[in-house]
């Protein structure tokens, strides 16, 4: 047996590393965390310096047993989990478990850290082992304890004051506040009209436009011309004054340099993959994990990128030298700057030993290894490779031209601007994307040759109406950017923050934009009004900074926990007594009930928010939010369809279980049908072998799966099916299930079969839709 046992987190990584280390080393995977807090009250004890009660994670017991067995014949244990606080915590938990089992007697234990899975990096780490970093462990323990205490104290309060099943989180709640506040900004936004005035010009047979900037010697602002009459009056005055031409009064030419963006860190990779590839943050991290852990490239498995959870923009000296050589070979010496580019890391806590996300070798050109990668792996690798190479290239040189054109002795001034790329530099490889750029922003136009003092032909004056627009809703990229700017969360947590908000149904993602749900609004209102400090952006960011200080050894975590816990716990008890449910779920409006004359309020019901009388149940008046005073808003007619029973128009209605299609002739005709048609998973029914499994929604709104042959075939299951036979009982399909304690697993849907194994893929991709529902926190 091997004398050396190495523990990593994933089996894919284990296979790659074992090939590098040879026969004297056995490499096993822990499959992530091996212990967690017991899932009940009392797991964290504030009365005894926040002592924590852990238990082994059930789904990983067999992996811990395999490690224990292998360790009996080994002399040395190398803990080689990921190089971040979670990885450090996994190593520590495993060490504690093995120590409790008395398995470490007469064993040498090392912590090894590497940031890329290459033979050189792994062998060097083994040759220079370290000790467990107790400061990182303390910081992770403090974070876990804080999240536990907030969740276990706030969630029951939400159940009492709003609705059962809700939950709150230390970091997710400020993120929810961010989305709700943006929605409130949009709703409160009042659009303003304004008009632009442009000259349509021509010189040397090339048409171009210039924007009016001064009229009658006065500078124009956005709202100087705010109606059609004023715009037309200005247009006529300009046409009369110009008499078919404008004079070039001023012409400026200058060059500006544009430098490349720094190499990727976790947050910028998530943002750019969202903008350019349409990846979710969760998808980005999953594909990056695959690239990091290793891909079989022509019979040799190797990691293609460095560790993908980092907030450092540093590149190693060796990597920079390799990149500069490649640039000279591929793009010529003229594109290599005299000195290597250095980028400054913004995060105080970024460890300089960590690197930015880069290819492990710049010489692994994306197109050369494309055949070995999946489509998504190639797209993400290509993005990382281009950004990394571009960051060490020479700047781009851009020619800028600005021309002032006048008439009426200089009283009326138009300005035209244009730019051309004189030397593309890094832009020939990569250009960073932008979020929500304004119309016309960053667009380059080429102006014709012009000379000062010479006239230019005026073809027309064009006036155009515009309206100001509200700020855009957050997408994944812009939300990650905002979280980072506010210091909320850390690179490794952005994906889970977004997933949690969606899984709790506090927000929905529509057309790649986040919308708060009615429940999300109410939860946010409760937290911002009654727990203002704890959803404050600065407070959350400062707490993150203090936890980072713990990880650097500058602060003790136990006093930090006491400072947080005492006022928080006091506030919880105070709000339990002082806040009534109606204070949270009802919002007063300045309107009287048409039935009884008492006040109306916005209330939260089973189907979301609605307007109802405050004297309920004595007065039962209600109407939809946004209704016009009738007891219900006008039903939306389904275009092009009539009731198959009575041929009356079909309408979209709202009931206790959500929206559905119903006959407008109700109650005479009671025909109804679901608004959403069942979607076909493409998985053959294992019972009748004739139909396929359809994704359906129950009356309670819960997703389930059943045979398309119903009612002849009654086969049904709760979890998403996949085309894979059970290794234990040979049942033709498995299903994907997610729970808080065991994570995502492939399980056999047969009740008498207990087969279950971790699911490595993204549950959001099963049959093309999000199909698993986590248990409430």
């Amino acid at each position: 047996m091997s004398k050396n046992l190495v523990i990593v987190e994933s089996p894919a990584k284990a296979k790659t590393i074992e090939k590098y280390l040879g026969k004297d080393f056995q490499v096993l995977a822990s499959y992530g965390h091996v212990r967690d807090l017991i899932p009940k009250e009392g797991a964290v004890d504030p009365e005894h310096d926040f002592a924590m009660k852990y238990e082994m994670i059930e789904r990983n017991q067999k992996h811990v047993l395999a490690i224990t067995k292998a360790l009996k014949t080994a002399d040395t244990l190398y803990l080689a989990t990921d190089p971040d606080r979670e990885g450090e915590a996994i190593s520590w938990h495993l060490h504690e478990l093995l120590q409790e089992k008395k398995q470490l007697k007469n064993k040498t234990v090392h912590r090894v850290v590497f940031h890329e899975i290459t033979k050189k990096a792994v062998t060097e780490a083994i040759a220079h082992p370290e000790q467990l970093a107790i400061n990182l462990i303390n910081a992770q323990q403090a974070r876990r304890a804080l999240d536990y205490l907030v969740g276990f104290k706030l969630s029951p309060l939400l159940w009492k004051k709003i609705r059962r099943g809700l939950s709150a989180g230390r970091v997710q709640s400020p993120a929810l506040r961010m989305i709700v506040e943006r929605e409130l900004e949009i709703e409160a936004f009042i659009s303003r009209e304004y008009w632009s005035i442009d000259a349509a010009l021509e010189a040397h047979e090339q048409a171009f436009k210039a924007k009016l900037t001064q009229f009658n010697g006065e500078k124009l602002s956005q709202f100087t011309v705010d109606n059609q009459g004023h715009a037309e009056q200005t247009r006529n005055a300009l046409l009369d004054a110009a008499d078919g031409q404008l004079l070039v009064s001023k012409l400026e030419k200058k060059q500006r340099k544009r430098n490349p963006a720094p190499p990727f860190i976790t947050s910028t990779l998530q943002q750019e993959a969202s903008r350019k590839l349409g990846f979710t943050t969760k998808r980005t991290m999953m594909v990056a994990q695959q690239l990091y852990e290793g891909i079989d490239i022509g019979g040799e498995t190797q990691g293609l990128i460095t560790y993908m959870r980092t907030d450092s923009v540093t590149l190693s000296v060796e990597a920079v030298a390799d990149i500069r050589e490649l640039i000279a070979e591929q793009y010529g010496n003229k594109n290599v700057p005299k000195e290597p580019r250095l980028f400054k890391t913004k995060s105080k806590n970024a460890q300089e030993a960590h690197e930015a996300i880069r290819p492990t070798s710049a010489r692994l050109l994306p197109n050369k290894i494309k055949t070995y990668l999946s489509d998504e792996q190639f797209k993400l690798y290509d993005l990382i490779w281009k950004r990394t190479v571009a960051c060490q290239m020479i700047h781009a040189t851009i020619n800028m031209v600005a021309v002032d054109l006048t008439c009426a002795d200089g009283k009326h001034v138009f300005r035209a601007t244009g730019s051309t790329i004189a030397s593309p530099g890094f832009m020939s490889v990569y250009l960073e994307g932008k979020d929500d750029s304004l119309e016309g922003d960053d667009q380059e136009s080429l102006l014709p040759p012009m000379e000062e003092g010479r006239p230019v032909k005026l073809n027309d004056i064009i006036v155009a109406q515009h309206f100001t627009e509200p700020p855009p809703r957050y997408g994944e990229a812009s939300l990650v950017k905002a979280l980072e700017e506010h210091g909320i969360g850390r690179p490794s947590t952005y994906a889970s923050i977004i997933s949690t908000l969606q899984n709790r149904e506090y927000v929905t993602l529509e057309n790649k934009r986040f919308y708060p749900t009615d429940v999300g609004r109410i939860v946010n209102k409760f937290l911002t009004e009654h727990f203002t400090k704890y959803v404050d952006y600065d407070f959350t960011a400062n707490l993150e900074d203090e936890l980072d200080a713990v990880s650097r050894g500058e602060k003790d975590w136990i006093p930090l926990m006491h400072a947080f816990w005492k006022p928080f716990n006091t506030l919880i008890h105070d709000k339990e007594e002082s806040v009534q449910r109606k204070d949270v779920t009802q919002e007063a409006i300045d309107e009287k009930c048409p039935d009884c004359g008492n006040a109306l309020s916005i209330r939260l019901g089973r189907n979301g928010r609605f307007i109802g009388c405050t004297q309920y149940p004595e007065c039962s008046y209600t109407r939809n939010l946004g209704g016009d005073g009738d007891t219900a808003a006008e039903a939306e007619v389904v275009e092009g369809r009539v009731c198959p029973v009575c041929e009356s128009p079909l309408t979209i209605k709202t009931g206790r279980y959500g929206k559905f299609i119903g006959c407008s002739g109700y109650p005479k005709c009671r025909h109804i049908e679901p608004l959403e048609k069942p979607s076909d998973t493409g998985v053959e029914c294992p019972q009748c072998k004739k139909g396929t499994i359809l994704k359906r929604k129950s009356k309670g709104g819960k997703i389930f799966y059943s045979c398309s042959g119903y009612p002849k075939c009654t086969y049904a299951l709760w979890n998403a099916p996949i085309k894979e036979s059970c290794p234990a009982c040979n049942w033709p399909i498995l299903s994907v299930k997610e729970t808080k304690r065991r994570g995502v697993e492939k399980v056999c849907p047969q009740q008498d079969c207990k087969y279950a194994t971790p699911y490595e893929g993204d549950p959001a991709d099963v049959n093309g839709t999000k199909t698993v529902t986590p248990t409430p926190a």
Side-chain angles (χ1 to χ4, degrees), residues 90 108 111 168 190 222 228 261 292 327 351 363 399 402 430 554 588 655 661:
I90 291 169
T108 303
R111 171 77 167 114
I190 300 173
Q222 183 180 12
Q228 186 173 3
Y292 166 69
I327 294 168
Q351 301 175 50
R363 307 211 167 250
N399 289 330
Y430 182 85
E554 297 166 7
I661 294 175

Side-chain angles (χ1 to χ4, degrees), residues 373-392:
L373 305 176
S374 70
D375 185 52
E376 289 184 329
Q377 289 169 346
F378 171 75
K379 285 179 179 177
L380 194 64
Y381 180 74
D382 185 59
L383 193 72
I384 294 167
W385 187 92
K386 286 178 177 176
R387 174 91 162 214
T388 307
V389 171
C391 85
Q392 290 302 316

Side-chain angles (χ1 to χ4, degrees), residues 10-175:
S10 78
K13 194 192 302 186
K15 290 177 185 176
T16 307
I17 292 172
E18 196 164 72
K19 289 180 182 177
Y20 295 155
L21 295 177
K23 62 180 181 180
D24 288 335
F25 288 81
Q26 183 181 6
V27 185
L28 294 178
S30 70
Y31 287 80
H33 278 276
V34 294
R35 288 200 311 183
D36 199 5
L37 294 170
I38 59 174
K40 57 185 178 182
E41 189 127 16
V44 179
D45 186 359
E47 301 301 318
H48 296 88
D49 284 341
F50 302 92
M52 301 185 202
K53 297 176 183 176
Y54 290 104
E55 67 178 11
M56 197 184 302
I57 296 172
E58 185 181 339
R59 65 183 168 89
N60 281 345
Q61 283 184 348
K62 60 183 177 182
H63 305 304
V64 174
L65 287 173
I67 291 168
T68 304
K69 184 177 178 181
L71 187 59
K72 289 179 180 178
T73 57
D75 298 326
T76 306
L77 174 65
Y78 292 91
L79 299 168
T81 48
D82 288 344
D84 56 15
R85 66 169 185 248
E86 292 300 319
E88 205 72 28
I90 291 169
S91 284
W92 177 76
H93 280 297
L94 186 58
H95 182 274
E96 294 295 293
L97 268 178
L98 294 172
Q99 205 162 40
E100 287 174 11
K101 294 174 178 288
K102 300 188 174 11
Q103 296 297 314
L104 298 181
K105 192 175 181 181
N106 300 322
K107 308 285 183 185
T108 303
V109 181
H110 295 303
R111 171 77 167 114
V112 292
V113 174
F114 40 81
H115 304 280
E116 59 185 70
I117 301 178
T118 59
K119 187 168 186 178
K120 180 183 176 184
V122 171
T123 52
E124 281 190 3
I126 294 290
H128 301 91
E130 304 169 5
Q131 297 298 312
L132 284 167
I134 192 63
N135 293 327
L136 272 180
I137 294 163
N138 287 341
Q140 195 276 341
Q141 289 238 93
R143 277 186 170 87
R144 184 71 188 90
L146 282 170
D147 292 341
Y148 169 88
L149 290 170
V150 170
F152 259 85
K153 286 294 181 180
L154 259 185
S155 297
L157 192 60
L158 293 177
W159 296 1
K160 293 176 185 176
K161 308 303 179 184
I162 303 175
R163 171 187 295 178
R164 287 196 64 82
L166 299 180
S167 58
R170 180 180 63 87
V171 180
Q172 290 85 2
S173 297

Side-chain angles (χ1 to χ4, degrees), residues 265-283:
I265 59 175
T266 305
S267 59
T268 53
L269 177 63
Q270 290 172 344
Q271 291 168 51
E272 200 74 334
S274 176
R275 296 184 194 115
K276 293 197 169 189
L277 307 179
F279 285 9
T280 63
T281 51
K282 190 172 183 179
R283 165 63 54 190

